[in-house]
Amino acid sequence: MSETWVVVPTRLPIVLRRCHRCASGRFRANGRFRVNASHKLLDVWLLALCLGCGDTTKLTVLERMNVRAVPAGLLELLHGNDPGLAAELLQDPGVRRRNRVALDWDDAWRLDRGAPEQPQQPPQPHPREGEAVEVSVRFAARVPVRPVRLIAEGFGLPRAEVERLLAEGKLVSTVRLSGKLSGDFSFTFKH
């Protein structure tokens, strides 16, 4: 039996950065941009609110860019405060590095198990004795997730049980299932 699971973001991640006002380290981006034009040069910031005091911080997206060098479609998205663009920019390593921020994805994603590829059988919480399940995990966005946590949630098992199965060789993959992954992978669960 084979299944396809999809990791789907449910909201923008928390931005980890020290607040200058209250010393909190967590900001929530709401998808709003500030666009400032000075003659022929353009500055763009993604705005985020401190979860401690509500102060606003600006994450630099574009700095002193010639207006003619910015595609018209991008300008429309910026002026329209497009949440999809905000999500894309937060996942851009260059934007994160330039602003010296990290992201916290806890409770910002969900796992969609989908239907098994053999529709005649109802989905099982975990495979029956002697059965193997091949699972392809796809990411709708680059959300860093621990595969052990993902597998535990997908099969309804405790994480300790998933780690035991991994140690016993009953969970097999071409990628390391320890640490974090944010790209598509697959694994086989042999019961």
Side-chain angles (χ1 to χ4, degrees):
M1 175 159 61
S2 62
E3 295 182 9
T4 300
W5 296 356
V6 181
V7 176
V8 181
T10 56
R11 63 169 172 78
L12 292 176
I14 299 295
V15 176
L16 302 176
R17 174 188 222 177
R18 178 71 58 202
C19 178
H20 299 290
R21 189 170 180 199
C22 73
S24 169
R26 301 171 63 81
F27 286 81
R28 179 172 309 274
N30 57 6
R32 294 187 151 290
F33 294 94
R34 177 167 180 213
V35 180
N36 185 29
S38 175
H39 301 286
K40 295 180 183 177
L41 300 177
L42 190 71
D43 292 309
V44 177
W45 300 279
L46 175 62
L47 303 178
L49 298 175
C50 176
L51 294 177
C53 65
D55 195 33
T56 302
T57 190
K58 298 184 291 187
L59 304 176
T60 302
V61 175
L62 297 176
E63 192 169 33
R64 311 305 291 166
M65 183 83 129
N66 190 314
V67 174
R68 293 180 191 252
V70 179
L74 177 60
L75 274 177
E76 284 181 33
L77 293 174
L78 291 168
H79 285 297
N81 293 317
D82 184 65
L85 178 61
E88 184 179 323
L89 289 170
L90 280 173
Q91 293 177 30
D92 182 355
V95 171
R96 289 196 318 261
R97 190 173 33 257
R98 181 182 314 129
N99 292 285
R100 296 185 187 109
V101 298
L103 302 178
D104 179 5
W105 282 95
D106 287 349
D107 301 322
W109 60 273
R110 74 172 189 276
L111 177 64
D112 286 344
R113 282 192 56 192
E117 292 181 13
Q118 299 173 355
Q120 68 272 16
Q121 297 176 350
Q124 301 292 323
H126 49 82
R128 292 177 291 217
E129 196 68 39
E131 187 177 77
V133 176
E134 295 202 21
V135 178
S136 295
V137 180
R138 305 286 172 245
F139 287 79
R142 292 184 313 254
V143 179
V145 177
R146 294 190 183 282
V148 170
R149 178 179 176 198
L150 195 72
I151 294 167
E153 186 173 322
F155 287 119
L157 298 171
R159 281 192 221 168
E161 175 72 10
V162 173
E163 294 198 13
R164 184 184 64 76
L165 291 167
L166 188 59
E168 291 176 357
K170 294 188 176 183
L171 285 171
V172 181
S173 178
T174 58
V175 298
R176 279 186 53 205
L177 296 177
S178 59
K180 289 188 176 184
L181 295 174
S182 59
D184 298 350
F185 69 97
S186 60
F187 68 91
T188 302
F189 183 6
K190 302 174 189 173
H191 197 337

